[in-house]
Amino acid sequence: MKAIRAAAVLLALLAATLRGADDFIDTVDDALSVSAWQDNLRARLSGSVDVEGYRFQQPAPSLYLSGGDSLFNPRLSLFLDAQAGAHVYVFAQARADRRFDPANSGAEFRLDEYALRLTPWDDGRFNLQIGQFATVVGNWTLRHDSWDNPLVTAPLLYENLTGIWDIEAVHSCGTLLLWANVGPRPSAAFPNKTRGVPIIWGPSYGTGASASGVVGKFAYAAEIKNTSLSSRPETWSVAETQWSNPTFSGRVGFMPDGRWNLGFSASTGAYLQPAAQPSVAPGSRLGAYRETLFGQDASFAWHHLQLWSEVYAARFAIPRVGDADTLGYYVEGKFKFTPQLFGALRWNQQRFSTVLLAAGGSGRWGSDIWRIDAGPGFRFTPHTQLKLQYSIQDQDSTLRNRSGILAVQFTARF
Amino acid sequence: MNPLRPSAALLLFALLAAACGAQTIVEGRVALPKPRAAPVMNKRYGIVTEGGILSTYPPTAVVYLAGVFPRPASLPVRQMAQKDLAFFPMLLPVQVGTRVEFPNFDDTYHNIFSYSPAKRFDLGRYLSDERPIPSEVFDVPGLVTLHCEIHEHMRALILVLDTPYFVMTDTDGRYLLSGLPAGKYVLKAWLDSRTTLERPVELIGNSTLEADFP
């Protein structure tokens, strides 16, 4: 009871302090907007500061890269939005942090997104976008920014590493199971942390072009990108291109009455990087080894309740192994208890198919896993919020069966 | 609907007042700040339809007579609409105790909220078919800043005043405040969240006072 009271007092003090700072943020906001040519050209620089802390057990789960049990992860994100009339839109996002995914490493500065969007018709029936930007697949990318994500972490399927590497192809089923931590491991060394890939790597800011639009209750989007959805951030930029093996993705959406948004997505693209060429059979093309994905997404919003769900069935064509399937999904909800206090709950699960083993028989090529993410959030002002999250996950793994993650994230946006 | 332009409305009102008999009036002009640029929309991860229409709102001020006045038993319901991804009007002065409705005339969700000390609320997400129209009673004087959780460029203000005598200026800063009680008061002109000008006035029955705010 004392702890709750102390937390309430602390929140009230913080809210009072931040309310004062909000006027300053408004002033900064005004100063970072410019217009010219009678308002026909308008640009705004905005951003957010995230201060995150994580506490977990080793080995660090998901995409966290740290040798310790805790991780401090500050991040500055800068956004540029510019409009030239009603038909030309440009945006960019740059980040300064310790790595794209939380890591115990040095500071770096990256240009994560930049794109030019042309909208020839006023009703938005067709948009052409070129640059480096988030994938059109699913509905997670619409809310992956820290301000819009009611929890701290991404859904499991966007960050759970599989036994598939993108820089080297496995030599056998046994190697695949070893990399996936299925069955006994010969040593404590675990290289998969920096080499494995998930079904979709975060928002998948690949480089390419997209066509999208809204026609009545339907929405469509199709993109051609230089990397597959599972590809790591280092491969997203135009400099790290795999244009010889482009990835094609698309989504068709249906909004029956505004409350619901339903979508069907598909994607296919080569997931092995050029560095993996020596590890595939001589004469084999990397383009023959693809990640093919089909997905469904749904979202619902009504008053103070929001629900989201995505399910993806992915197939990786693996040299010398064949097809390896995995299914990942989550169901997530957010409810506002008061104008400023909200809570979020997410159920995640990922399952793996079986592959034929060289020694005979078959075995799962990954460890089935489920994870529950839950936590409250509090918006002190329209520019500042604090989120807490506790996650518990259970995995049929040789590394650790059940573990917990505690995360806290403070965000100030301007 | 084709509302009268503010300056025409002021003229019409003055003519009507003259026709109905003399009354106590304050009129004048408030020097307004320069118009601000239209906001820039964040369209990074969504396709904002309506062709990116952005309504620009020239600055206006609210002139009101500060004092102690009896509160009426009931007040008319006012509206602040959401249309073309913007609030309309962008600034709404109301008397304490007024109920304000927030109809959504867009074909997409809006989620109006305010964290202002004078009124803290969150209407949640609703469409144009929402009935009854979501509303709030503004029962504490002060400035209420409205936001939309979905469209971050949307902003509006509700100025809750503890007086029945207030009026918005036209876009040139001209105003006319009529039907005022005689006596000594403070006349105030609210320009923005940080600027409220004021000047003492002495109102004499059935007369017109010129009061400018330079």
Side-chain angles (χ1 to χ4, degrees):
Chain A
M1 212 48 198
K2 273 185 178 177
I4 293 172
R5 271 192 212 131
V9 169
L10 193 65
L11 279 178
L13 284 172
L14 198 55
T17 308
L18 292 171
R19 206 172 293 131
D22 222 39
D23 279 347
F24 172 73
I25 294 174
D26 267 336
T27 308
V28 170
D29 203 23
D30 290 344
L32 295 178
S33 298
V34 296
S35 69
W37 292 300
Q38 296 177 320
D39 240 14
N40 280 313
L41 180 63
R42 302 189 302 277
R44 176 178 174 231
L45 187 65
S46 59
S48 63
V49 177
D50 296 311
V51 181
E52 300 167 355
Y54 298 90
R55 182 86 182 163
F56 41 70
Q57 295 152 297
Q58 283 296 327
S62 303
L63 293 167
Y64 310 112
L65 197 61
S66 173
D69 290 342
S70 57
L71 181 61
F72 174 64
N73 190 51
R75 168 174 290 164
L76 169 68
S77 303
L78 294 173
F79 303 101
L80 173 71
D81 296 277
Q83 292 170 244
H87 303 294
V88 180
Y89 172 67
V90 172
F91 72 94
Q93 178 185 189
R95 288 189 176 124
D97 51 26
R98 303 181 75 177
R99 188 169 162 261
F100 183 82
D101 299 297
N104 193 9
S105 55
E108 63 179 37
F109 184 78
R110 298 180 315 277
L111 183 62
D112 279 341
E113 285 186 286
Y114 57 89
L116 164 70
R117 184 186 302 170
L118 304 174
T119 305
W121 290 277
D122 284 351
D123 60 4
R125 75 182 81 158
F126 178 76
N127 300 271
L128 178 66
Q129 184 163 298
I130 300 167
Q132 182 178 334
F133 51 87
T135 181
V136 301
V137 166
N139 65 23
W140 161 248
T141 53
L142 296 171
R143 56 189 188 88
H144 73 277
D145 283 340
S146 58
W147 186 263
D148 298 315
N149 179 7
L151 291 157
V152 179
T153 65
L156 180 75
L157 65 91
Y158 288 87
E159 58 179 28
N160 184 46
L161 294 172
T162 67
I164 292 174
W165 295 2
D166 56 350
I167 56 168
E168 186 179 346
V170 294
H171 307 294
S172 64
C173 281
T175 311
L176 175 62
L177 268 54
L178 180 70
W179 289 357
N181 298 305
V182 177
R185 288 184 306 120
S187 72
F190 180 46
N192 193 36
K193 194 71 194 174
T194 55
R195 298 178 185 176
V197 296
I199 296 178
I200 304 175
W201 199 305
S204 189
Y205 296 139
T207 303
S210 75
S212 62
V214 177
V215 181
K217 294 183 175 181
F218 293 90
Y220 69 90
E223 68 183 14
I224 176 171
K225 292 277 190 74
N226 62 337
T227 58
S228 70
L229 294 178
S230 64
S231 297
R232 65 187 61 251
E234 291 80 1
T235 67
W236 293 342
S237 81
V238 69
E240 301 292 333
T241 183
Q242 291 180 3
W243 286 108
S244 53
N245 298 305
T247 293
F248 300 92
S249 307
R251 179 181 182 272
V252 176
F254 176 54
M255 297 153 283
D257 70 352
R259 295 168 183 82
W260 289 93
N261 194 335
L262 311 171
F264 297 90
S265 299
S267 177
T268 180
Y271 66 91
L272 290 171
Q273 292 185 42
Q277 184 69 61
S279 63
V280 302
S284 295
R285 293 182 303 106
L286 291 181
Y289 304 108
R290 310 182 74 81
E291 178 195 15
T292 303
L293 172 147
F294 293 96
Q296 263 185 276
D297 64 83
S299 64
F300 173 81
W302 186 70
H303 291 189
H304 298 103
L305 174 69
Q306 287 176 269
L307 299 171
W308 303 272
S309 181
E310 288 181 288
V311 55
Y312 290 105
R315 168 168 292 177
F316 291 89
I318 306 174
R320 292 178 283 270
V321 172
D323 292 339
D325 297 339
T326 179
L327 179 88
Y329 73 93
Y330 70 87
V331 180
E332 179 179 340
K334 172 190 174 185
F335 188 80
K336 284 186 208 164
F337 301 108
T338 73
Q340 291 168 281
L341 177 67
F342 60 88
L345 181 65
R346 184 195 289 146
W347 165 259
N348 310 265
Q349 194 168 21
Q350 187 172 352
R351 298 176 69 86
F352 295 84
S353 69
T354 55
V355 291
L356 295 174
L357 303 174
S362 63
R364 293 193 185 280
W365 69 275
S367 305
D368 289 353
I369 181 173
W370 59 257
R371 193 178 82 189
I372 298 173
D373 307 319
F378 191 83
R379 288 197 171 166
F380 298 97
T381 71
H383 296 107
T384 49
Q385 76 177 5
L386 180 69
K387 293 184 289 187
L388 286 170
Q389 178 182 326
Y390 182 73
S391 298
I392 183 167
Q393 71 177 38
D394 189 281
Q395 187 169 22
D396 181 20
S397 168
T398 52
L399 293 174
R400 178 184 292 279
N401 285 332
R402 186 162 292 184
S403 62
I405 308 165
L406 182 65
V408 58
Q409 182 186 59
F410 175 79
T411 302
R413 67 170 185 170
F414 54 90
Chain B
M1 204 169 84
N2 184 20
L4 288 171
R5 292 176 58 181
S7 54
L10 286 175
L11 180 61
L12 181 62
F13 192 87
L15 289 172
L16 281 173
C20 296
Q23 56 177 304
T24 305
I25 292 173
V26 176
E27 62 180 354
R29 186 170 182 171
V30 180
L32 299 174
K34 287 181 181 175
R36 289 171 56 183
V40 180
M41 281 200 269
N42 161 11
K43 299 191 279 190
R44 283 165 233 144
Y45 310 120
I47 302 158
V48 178
T49 57
E50 309 292 342
I53 294 171
L54 288 168
S55 305
T56 57
Y57 295 92
T60 52
V62 177
V63 179
Y64 61 97
L65 196 66
V68 179
F69 307 105
R71 289 189 183 181
S74 65
L75 289 163
V77 175
R78 304 295 303 276
Q79 282 199 338
M80 176 174 274
Q82 300 134 79
K83 178 84 177 112
D84 296 335
L85 306 183
F87 286 106
F88 185 82
M90 195 178 175
L91 169 63
L92 179 67
V94 298
Q95 187 176 357
V96 169
T98 301
R99 177 175 290 279
V100 178
E101 294 179 338
F102 298 94
N104 176 3
F105 293 119
D106 282 325
D107 57 3
T108 186
Y109 263 130
H110 286 296
N111 186 158
I112 302 171
F113 72 93
S114 162
Y115 295 160
S116 299
K119 189 69 185 181
R120 194 165 286 147
F121 68 96
D122 186 320
L123 296 178
R125 287 161 193 243
Y126 60 93
L127 295 166
S128 56
D129 60 357
E130 184 80 12
R131 294 293 179 276
I133 297 170
S135 65
E136 287 290 330
V137 174
F138 292 82
D139 44 14
V140 176
L143 183 66
V144 179
T145 306
L146 303 180
H147 303 261
C148 175
E149 188 181 71
I150 304 166
H151 308 102
E152 64 176 295
H153 67 278
M154 288 176 65
R155 294 275 182 94
L157 299 169
I158 292 181
L159 185 61
V160 187
L161 299 166
D162 201 7
T163 172
Y165 306 111
F166 57 85
V167 68
M168 282 181 69
T169 68
D170 65 14
T171 52
D172 291 327
R174 284 191 292 268
Y175 74 93
L176 185 149
L177 199 51
S178 65
L180 305 177
K184 290 183 177 178
Y185 301 97
V186 175
L187 188 68
K188 296 189 176 183
W190 182 96
L191 273 81
D192 58 45
S193 60
R194 297 181 188 88
T195 314
T196 301
L197 308 174
E198 61 180 55
R199 54 176 290 175
V201 292
E202 183 169 1
L203 304 180
I204 300 166
N206 299 328
S207 67
T208 299
L209 176 70
E210 287 280 340
D212 289 347
F213 289 90

